[in-house]
Amino acid sequence: GPGRGSVRTAWCERGIDFEIHDDLVFNVKFIGGCPGNLEAISRLVDGMPVKKVVELLKGVHCGDKTTSCSDQLALALATASNADKGKR
């Protein structure tokens, strides 16, 4: 189903906004973080299935951190997608 997601994080990016429609990802917007790279990620994942985005981005680390902006997006999408499935 259609849905908007928004997560606030304590990492480089301060938050991520996104939409999920029919299990597809749209309108990803990172607040903070590395602007060029994150805009590129947002464009690349637009219209992609949630499951595929999570598979591609989950577990990506940034430097010596245990996560990254893209990993945080994957976690937020997985959480939102699972929450949506629980409502059906």
Side-chain angles (χ1 to χ4, degrees):
R4 286 184 193 280
S6 186
V7 63
R8 295 297 168 253
T9 66
W11 302 96
C12 297
E13 85 291 349
R14 296 185 304 279
I16 309 167
D17 297 328
F18 55 88
E19 294 177 23
I20 299 173
H21 300 285
D22 299 322
D23 289 325
L24 301 177
V25 178
F26 296 99
N27 299 320
V28 173
K29 292 196 177 38
F30 290 88
I31 297 115
C34 309
N37 290 335
L38 297 179
E39 184 177 336
I41 289 170
S42 299
R43 290 182 186 189
L44 288 168
V45 303
D46 201 59
M48 206 182 266
V50 171
K51 186 177 178 192
K52 183 69 176 172
V53 176
V54 172
E55 284 171 7
L56 287 170
L57 300 182
K58 193 168 183 213
V60 172
H61 295 183
C62 183
D64 59 0
K65 298 184 184 94
T66 57
T67 188
S68 66
C69 297
S70 48
D71 184 52
Q72 290 296 306
L73 173 60
L75 295 171
L77 289 172
T79 301
S81 180
N82 289 336
D84 183 49
K85 284 176 177 51
K87 286 187 222 159
R88 290 181 199 161

